Amino acid sequence: MKRLLLIVAIFCIVIPTSVDAQRKKSRKNKKAKKEVQVPKPKPKKKTPKYSDFVNKSTKTDEGLFDVHETKGKFYYEVPNDLLGKEMLLVTRLKDIPSGLGGGYVNAGSKVNTQVIVWERFKKKLLLKVRSFSAVAEDSLPIYKSVKANNLEPIIYAFDIKTTNPDSTATLVDVTKFFASDVKAISGLPARFRRTYRVRRLDPSRSFINAIRSYPKNIEVIQDFTFDADNPPSNQTTNTITIRVNQSMIMLPEKPMMPRIFDKRVGYFTVRNVDYSSEALKADAKQYIRRWRLEPKDPAAYARGELVEPVKPIVYYLDPATPKKLRKYIKQGVDDWQKVFETAGFKNAIMAKMPPTKEEDPEFSMEDIRYSSIRYVASTTRNAVGPSVSDPRSGEIIESDIIWYHNHLRSYRNRYLLETGAANPSARTLDTPAEEIGEMMRMVIAHEIGHALGLPHNMAASYAYPVDSLRSGPFTQKNGIAATIMDYARYNYVAQPGDKDIRFIRQLGPYDHYSINWGYRVIPTAKTPEAEVKTLDKWIEAKGNDPVYKFGIQRGGSGAFDPESQTEGIGNDQVKASTYGVKNLKIVAKNLQSWTSDQTNNYEDLAELYGELLSVYSRYSGHVTGVVGGVAEYNKKPSQSGNVYVTVPKARQKEAVNWLLNNVFATQQWLLSKDILENINPTGYTERMLGIQNRQLYSLLNTSRLQRMANAEVTQKSFYSPTEMIRDLRRGVFSEANAQKNVDVFRRNLQKSFVERMRTLMNTNNAQNSDLFSIIRGELTTLRSQLRTASNRAVNRITKYHYRDCISRINTILDPKK
């Protein structure tokens, strides 16, 4: 038993010790293992190789940048030697939904133009927008300040994937950039987003259509689909899909030598502020926009010989253009060849049909290397001539003339209305094809003028005496205005019986003059400043001839020069409009026989009657422009005469009298029962009041009245606001002194006169000027006159009308009662 107990005791002592020893040994082994265990190395990050992106499955298009497409992703291979180089990025709409922009936006419309540069920053490639609004010579200290205060925005930062095998170019993935809604290159401007209540771009329905690279440019076509609550068409889809074309073109390494703008000759311009100037302020510079025309043979050109340019201006016709119209469009371009000969260049501009697929499989109308004339399937009645230019020099790079399909209908209608009285071939809805073609030719010539850098010149139609427009020999030689760039479309002055009249506009002497001034190379001048002396001489040689006057287009209250009015012809607005209205009266009498009697429906009659009222209103507006008019003659101090010349008092009074007789008096010739009762059930009085109010409000406009008041400072004899408003009040309320009934048209006009006076009294400009006093005085006189007239009014409605006018005047003069 003792032995057994001893064994158990020994076992109890030995076993724990052994177990503990085993545990210690185990911990020791584990510790040892832990100490000797070497951590597994992390896998090295694989350095991307060029072959990971560009390999056998890649489609490569070589050009300005090599463009690679691999597994649905697009990569730009950007050469290092092009980093920092200036390029032009042009965003256009290639295809659009119906109704986008209210009909005045079309396939081919330019949305944005910006100068960009590619720059490397660490592991990124940055796309920046460069501005030329502020510049300085980079060798001057102030250049640093210009850069610091004009930090260039970054459109996008691309991760650098790798370099090409010889490390001469950087590879970036551009897929996300072109497939996302990047606002800087979006085809949907902010105003469209607001109008159509655009919520977002749907990436599942948006993608890159194609990217093509050419030697000097890259063209990207994107398809974008937006969710929109108020799309312009197909509204049940809540969707807008547009196709956008991005053109990136290399700008010339050496910019064209610019030509300094002179406001005496009309040109579109580019502007910048030059801080390199030695003057006491930054020098605002303005250069004209023009194509780079350089003579192939400079020596022959310097001798005065006609020389072809190194690179002519070529326009390609849209293949969608109807065949019967192509020759007229081509003529509209080619007509400028003679004009460029005045500047010393032959074959300087031409129109061609685009090459076939066989001739050039890569030709595209969206390729910015090519200028085009697009034929747009749209109900809009318009044509435009936009262009793209280098902001550094004004060099025009490319342009696209846009012709809307329905535009010829406007020309047919106006041809009938404005020339039908004196022109038998215009008295039809089926205008002869050759005459329609001639109209189209001149519209294209006008738009080409814009694309050459020429803005509207509204003074050119004032250059010719009114009666010369009734002369066959004169109009056949000189047309109806001194330039195609005026809005003088038709000869509405010529009267029945005048012989051999040209009724359609054409290019004129000012076109030759302005192209010579803008495009003739001056071989002896090596800087823009060195050209100025010669350019001045050319202007001053023509300085006193109205044929060579440039008049800027102004609209609304900003218009003050009666010699630069849109749509007018002749140097006497009252005389020209008298002829025009006389012709319209003949047209109005025959409108039914020329339209509804021929078609057996009233649609054309309704359309043309509405346009007849617009033509009549336009003629009236030309006369209104004389009142308070100030002619502008841009001059330098070396030229004689003043820049601003007030229209003589007698002419202004003549204009007011014309308006009283031809606008504010009821025009019964416009109120044919046979027309009105066949086109509208009602609205006759409202329509006529609208025409009258247009001229009434224009006359009683604060800007016009202030010009008339300011004439007191410089003129011995002037037509004052007091006298004009008195003449107007007497004429508009002439029945009050004659015991005559007032017809419904005149009652409406008289109420409108009183209400317009109320508006003028409440304007801030009137409160502290004579205008407040004049209006109060004229309304007081009118109230007294109407009190007497209301007591002897012939019929009841006239009596009620006068009492109503008196009540309105009381409220104006004493609003507290």
Side-chain angles (χ1 to χ4, degrees), residues 493-708:
V493 162
Q495 297 294 292
D498 294 344
K499 303 295 184 183
D500 196 29
I501 298 295
R502 180 171 178 89
F503 290 99
I504 301 171
R505 60 182 170 173
Q506 64 183 28
L507 281 85
Y510 178 86
D511 299 312
H512 290 259
Y513 163 74
S514 61
I515 290 295
N516 181 72
W517 187 90
Y519 281 87
R520 179 170 283 280
V521 176
I522 305 174
T524 57
K526 304 304 178 186
T527 66
E529 291 74 18
E531 292 185 328
V532 172
K533 189 174 181 181
T534 300
L535 296 172
D536 279 351
K537 284 182 180 178
W538 292 347
I539 294 173
E540 290 167 12
K542 308 288 188 182
N544 297 319
D545 191 336
V547 167
Y548 303 104
K549 177 185 174 181
F550 173 71
I552 195 169
Q553 180 182 8
R554 293 187 177 93
S557 60
F560 59 83
D561 184 356
E563 297 183 10
S564 296
Q565 296 194 73
T566 180
E567 311 280 1
I569 57 173
N571 66 349
D572 184 330
Q573 295 87 355
V574 171
K575 193 172 187 178
S577 292
T578 299
Y579 280 134
V581 170
K582 189 176 178 181
N583 282 338
L584 278 184
K585 290 178 179 178
I586 296 171
V587 171
K589 283 181 182 179
N590 292 280
L591 201 56
Q592 285 173 281
S593 63
W594 296 347
T595 58
S596 55
D597 288 357
Q598 304 300 317
T599 62
N600 200 30
N601 67 62
Y602 292 111
E603 292 177 8
D604 287 296
L605 176 63
E607 181 179 324
L608 280 156
Y609 177 74
E611 292 191 29
L612 184 144
L613 294 180
S614 296
V615 172
Y616 160 71
S617 179
R618 190 158 52 243
Y619 295 168
S620 303
H622 296 155
V623 178
T624 301
V626 175
V627 184
V630 179
E632 182 179 39
Y633 304 100
N634 287 315
K635 299 173 183 286
K636 285 190 174 180
S638 57
Q639 295 174 274
S640 61
N642 294 326
V643 174
Y644 298 107
V645 179
T646 301
V647 173
K649 176 180 179 178
R651 284 194 62 209
Q652 295 188 53
K653 284 183 71 71
E654 180 189 25
V656 169
N657 288 330
W658 190 95
L659 292 167
L660 290 171
N661 293 323
N662 292 278
V663 177
F664 301 135
T666 302
Q667 303 298 299
Q668 293 296 336
W669 63 277
L670 286 171
L671 303 171
S672 168
K673 179 180 177 181
D674 291 338
I675 294 179
L676 296 179
E677 291 188 346
N678 283 309
I679 62 173
N680 277 313
T682 185
Y684 317 134
T685 57
E686 293 85 355
R687 205 167 189 176
M688 190 58 61
L689 180 61
I691 292 173
Q692 292 175 322
N693 276 346
R694 183 175 180 181
Q695 306 313 323
L696 179 68
Y697 293 175
S698 183
L699 283 173
L700 297 175
N701 174 277
T702 53
S703 295
R704 189 182 308 278
L705 294 169
Q706 285 169 348
R707 287 198 302 274
M708 297 176 77

Side-chain angles (χ1 to χ4, degrees), residues 25 54 139 226 297 369 522 568 634 709 748 809:
K25 186 177 181 181
V54 183
S139 59
F226 297 87
D297 186 342
R369 292 178 298 168
I522 305 174
N634 287 315
N748 288 345
I809 293 170

Side-chain angles (χ1 to χ4, degrees), residues 28-38:
K28 188 176 181 181
N29 289 341
K30 283 182 181 179
K31 188 176 181 181
K33 284 181 181 178
K34 190 174 182 181
E35 288 173 355
V36 300
Q37 187 175 8
V38 179

Side-chain angles (χ1 to χ4, degrees), residues 700-745:
L700 297 175
N701 174 277
T702 53
S703 295
R704 189 182 308 278
L705 294 169
Q706 285 169 348
R707 287 198 302 274
M708 297 176 77
N710 276 293
E712 183 177 352
V713 178
T714 58
Q715 308 296 308
K716 290 182 179 179
S717 175
F718 62 97
Y719 193 34
S720 69
T722 307
E723 191 172 354
M724 190 272 281
I725 295 176
R726 185 183 67 220
D727 289 345
L728 195 57
R729 187 255 306 163
R730 286 173 175 173
V732 169
F733 285 89
S734 60
E735 296 91 341
N737 289 331
Q739 285 189 297
K740 290 173 62 177
N741 290 332
V742 185
D743 68 36
V744 62
F745 299 101

Side-chain angles (χ1 to χ4, degrees), residues 241-313:
T241 296
I242 59 173
R243 183 164 289 164
V244 179
N245 191 98
Q246 307 286 352
S247 297
M248 187 179 75
I249 186 168
M250 190 77 182
L251 286 172
E253 185 76 22
K254 182 181 179 182
M256 176 185 73
M257 188 174 86
R259 180 154 290 180
I260 295 172
F261 170 70
D262 190 310
K263 62 182 177 180
R264 295 171 294 177
V265 184
Y267 269 89
F268 295 125
T269 63
V270 295
R271 305 165 183 254
N272 63 44
V273 176
D274 190 352
Y275 288 89
S276 305
S277 172
E278 293 294 328
L280 297 179
K281 65 180 180 66
D283 188 7
K285 290 188 175 179
Q286 203 168 351
Y287 302 123
I288 68 171
R289 292 174 58 185
R290 57 178 181 159
W291 295 81
R292 187 191 290 235
L293 287 187
E294 299 167 330
K296 280 184 180 178
D297 186 342
Y301 186 90
R303 292 193 299 268
E305 299 175 26
L306 287 180
V307 175
E308 290 188 343
V310 173
K311 184 181 178 182
I313 305 164

Side-chain angles (χ1 to χ4, degrees), residues 314-379:
V314 179
Y315 281 90
Y316 290 96
L317 272 62
D318 191 337
T321 307
K323 290 183 179 180
K324 65 180 180 180
L325 299 176
R326 291 177 182 178
K327 69 175 182 178
Y328 303 115
I329 294 176
K330 187 177 187 309
Q331 287 173 337
V333 180
D334 293 347
D335 281 339
W336 285 93
Q337 289 189 2
K338 279 288 182 187
V339 179
F340 273 102
E341 287 180 8
T342 305
F345 292 101
K346 64 181 179 180
N347 301 321
I349 185 170
M350 61 198 71
K352 297 179 179 180
M353 287 303 296
T356 63
K357 286 290 183 185
E358 293 73 25
E359 292 169 334
D360 186 352
E362 291 196 329
F363 181 87
S364 169
M365 298 287 276
E366 278 73 37
D367 188 338
I368 200 169
R369 292 178 298 168
Y370 305 116
S371 296
S372 65
I373 301 175
R374 295 173 178 273
Y375 195 95
V376 177
S378 169
T379 57

